[in-house]
Amino acid sequence: MSQNNSNEKAAMLAAIGTINEVSGFDPAPFAVDYTDLNTGEVRKRLPVMIQMAWFRLKYPEGRISVTVSPGKDCFVATARVYPHYKDPMDCYLAEATASRGYLPDKPSVSPREWAQTAAVGIALRNAGFGLQFSMAGEEFEGVAPDELGTASLPSAETQNPTGIQTEAESSGAVAPEAANPPQPKKELTPEEKLQQAMQVPCPIMKFSGKTLGEVLPMDPGAIKWVATKFTGSEEIKEAAKMICEYALNQAIA
């Protein structure tokens, strides 16, 4: 590499280092060594707690929103980063989704909390908190799931790829069936059922790509229409009804 190219690269890295700059705060001392499981290369990553502290310094009135829903043998978490706690639901700086399953060699690790931490770390990295490091966000172990269905994995179940971010740090190991036998299905709480309903895609073309929960503050009448007149899917209709009941109870309260 020529001297000019080296200088240009150094200048670009220095510029990246100024993203979300906070006077008096340098994240570099908090970066820790991370060993790539495939190559053995030692790189740097920024722990999620430091990312969150950095975010609070940059946006004292900011908000980090996390939703979690159960998937097939895993929990799926979606995190959104807002510069201000009063920002509307769809006015976020960045978002990320991650899934995590049970690890037999780490029984004390909660897959729900692990998924939340992973999603928050990736969302913060996407918002620029740690881009100057090779690996910002939380540590991962294991191999990525076969999201494209191109490999044969007879000894283990892969995680549900729905909503999994296609990055190494958003993958997680799932316990083999023999080590993690099927458990009786847990009855969801009303809060968890509402959370799932909020994540259902809106069937109205005008709001294509948005969930019912995202459409609710934008156009409550649209949710009422889905709940009363939509005929394309009974599941979507029931989800809209649940959201309408929730909104009505909130108004009464």
Side-chain angles (χ1 to χ4, degrees):
M1 182 180 289
S2 68
Q3 184 64 37
N4 287 340
N5 287 339
S6 296
N7 292 339
E8 289 177 3
K9 183 177 180 180
M12 286 188 290
L13 289 175
I16 291 174
T18 64
I19 296 175
N20 290 323
E21 191 171 23
V22 175
S23 178
F25 174 73
D26 179 10
F30 299 100
V32 297
D33 288 336
Y34 169 86
T35 303
D36 187 286
L37 296 177
N38 296 317
T39 66
E41 177 187 2
V42 177
R43 296 181 288 176
K44 293 289 185 181
R45 68 178 178 87
L46 201 61
V48 176
M49 291 301 293
I50 301 302
Q51 288 179 280
M52 294 176 66
W54 185 2
F55 170 74
R56 292 301 177 190
L57 289 172
K58 181 67 177 179
Y59 298 105
E61 296 186 319
R63 174 167 62 97
I64 300 175
S65 172
V66 184
T67 59
V68 184
S69 58
K72 185 180 183 295
D73 300 325
C74 67
F75 282 95
V76 182
T78 298
R80 287 181 173 179
V81 178
Y82 296 84
H84 196 278
Y85 68 92
K86 291 184 178 180
D87 288 330
M89 187 178 295
D90 58 344
C91 293
Y92 49 88
L93 287 174
E95 72 172 344
T97 298
S99 72
R100 291 294 185 270
Y102 171 77
L103 288 180
D105 59 331
K106 293 186 178 180
S108 64
V109 176
S110 164
R112 175 189 287 272
E113 293 181 7
W114 191 15
Q116 289 177 319
T117 301
V120 169
I122 300 169
L124 286 170
R125 193 277 315 281
N126 290 346
F129 294 93
L131 287 178
Q132 64 269 58
F133 303 102
S134 298
M135 181 65 72
E138 61 93 52
E139 185 178 3
F140 72 95
E141 295 190 34
V143 296
D146 178 23
E147 297 181 31
L148 299 178
T150 55
S152 176
L153 298 174
S155 62
E157 291 249 341
T158 57
Q159 294 180 5
N160 182 357
T162 303
I164 300 177
Q165 187 163 345
T166 56
E167 298 187 30
E169 66 266 36
S170 69
S171 66
V174 179
E177 244 181 70
N180 187 25
Q183 299 294 323
K185 204 166 197 180
K186 179 185 174 184
E187 180 67 25
L188 297 180
T189 65
E191 291 77 13
E192 289 174 329
K193 291 180 180 179
L194 175 63
Q195 194 173 75
Q196 282 191 339
M198 291 287 192
Q199 298 301 316
V200 172
C202 183
I204 301 176
M205 186 64 65
K206 175 183 175 181
F207 300 109
S208 177
K210 295 187 179 298
T211 65
L212 294 177
E214 291 172 325
V215 174
L216 179 61
M218 301 167 55
D219 189 351
I223 304 300
K224 183 178 179 181
W225 182 88
V226 175
T228 58
K229 298 183 180 180
F230 181 65
T231 59
S233 168
E234 194 61 32
E235 290 183 2
I236 294 178
K237 189 171 183 177
E238 288 301 317
K241 285 181 180 179
M242 185 179 299
I243 294 174
C244 286
E245 292 175 1
Y246 163 77
L248 179 60
N249 290 334
Q250 289 292 104
I252 294 175

